[in-house]
Amino acid sequence: MGAEGKMQTESSFRPAFVGRSGELATLRSHLERAVAGKGSAVLVSGEAGIGKSRLCEEVLDEAKSKGATVARGWCVEGTLEPLHPLREALNVMGMG
């Protein structure tokens, strides 16, 4: 149950963001440059379960709050599909 007595669903659960201050600062720096019109692409990689998605969610929320259009793609282990993350990002944006 949440703080207001409501049951927390899986989709509403968001673990606390802990650590990763250096990585977060790097991503925020890229975000600030993008908002200023100097965009770039950032790839986040690492072993499963180390917090990549949570780190990205933190920055993506900040980007959305600044009015940025956000495209997000992901890789699936073992896929041989060329450019899979870019295709996923375009699909999420309704452009695929």
Side-chain angles (χ1 to χ4, degrees), residues 21 29 42 44 46 49 56 58 64 69 81 86 88 94:
S21 59
S29 174
V42 178
V44 177
C56 291
E58 194 72 19
K64 290 175 188 175
T69 300
E81 183 182 343
L86 297 176
E88 288 295 325

Side-chain angles (χ1 to χ4, degrees), residues 4-82:
E4 299 172 350
K6 295 179 183 176
M7 182 175 274
Q8 210 169 23
T9 65
E10 184 178 330
S11 62
S12 69
F13 176 72
R14 186 166 179 172
F17 186 76
V18 179
R20 301 278 185 207
S21 59
E23 294 89 343
L24 184 58
T26 297
L27 292 175
R28 282 181 172 152
S29 174
H30 282 277
L31 173 58
E32 292 304 319
R33 287 196 302 267
V35 169
K38 299 176 182 173
S40 62
V42 178
L43 301 177
V44 177
S45 67
E47 296 296 320
I50 64 168
K52 298 178 300 295
S53 294
R54 184 65 182 89
L55 173 65
C56 291
E57 287 171 8
E58 194 72 19
V59 176
L60 292 175
D61 284 349
E62 289 181 34
K64 290 175 188 175
S65 74
K66 294 175 186 251
T69 300
V70 173
R72 179 182 183 180
W74 52 91
C75 292
V76 177
E77 185 176 349
T79 186
L80 298 176
E81 183 182 343

